[in-house]
Structures are given as structure tokens and as C-alpha cells.
Amino acid sequence: MNYDIHKPECRLCGSLYPTGRWALGYKMCCDCGEAEAKRVIRTVVPMPKSNYILVTDLTLLKGLNSSHKGGLST
């Protein structure tokens, strides 16, 4: 594929960004990509007598920390 012909536009702001970034699979410019990455919050939690789990939902984290074992909090 000839990457020089394609002029990728950021899906959030509409500005053009380098074709090399598009070829790597990115769909947004560096500025929007950095802002998007800062919005997503993740944490790793060790589970008792088990492995670590990746938590991206605050309600799941609260449920893991409740007095009920493994129950979601409401």
C-alpha cells in the first residue's frame, strides 16, 4: 500500500496526522491520543489467594473492597 497518498484525519479533531502513525493503526493525532489515554483510568488489584486483575470500572473495585466477598456494591 502506498502510504504517501493517504492523508489520515484525526477522528476527534479532524486535523491531519502523519501517515506513519496511521500505518501503525492509530486513528487520531498525537494530541488527541494523549488526551484520550489520560482519560482512561486503570489499576491492577491483587486478589486474595489468586492472581492480579485489571480493574477499569470503579464499581467493580468498590465491590471487591466490600464486606461481601466478591459482591458488587450498590
Side-chain angles (χ1 to χ4, degrees):
M1 176 179 257
N2 189 352
Y3 295 121
D4 295 330
I5 297 172
H6 184 73
K7 302 229 185 280
E9 289 185 13
C10 176
R11 66 180 180 151
L12 297 179
C13 70
S15 65
L16 297 177
Y17 62 93
T19 55
R21 184 171 172 77
W22 173 79
L24 291 172
Y26 293 103
K27 305 294 184 214
M28 58 186 81
C29 66
C30 289
D31 293 336
C32 291
E34 185 175 348
E36 185 75 14
K38 288 181 180 178
R39 273 184 356 114
V40 178
I41 299 172
R42 301 177 276 281
T43 189
V44 176
V45 179
M47 297 300 297
K49 299 181 182 177
S50 185
N51 297 329
Y52 293 87
I53 63 167
L54 180 66
V55 177
T56 57
D57 183 14
L58 183 60
T59 57
L60 175 62
L61 184 61
K62 287 179 180 179
L64 294 172
N65 197 27
S66 71
S67 59
H68 309 311
K69 293 189 178 192
L72 291 176
S73 63
T74 56

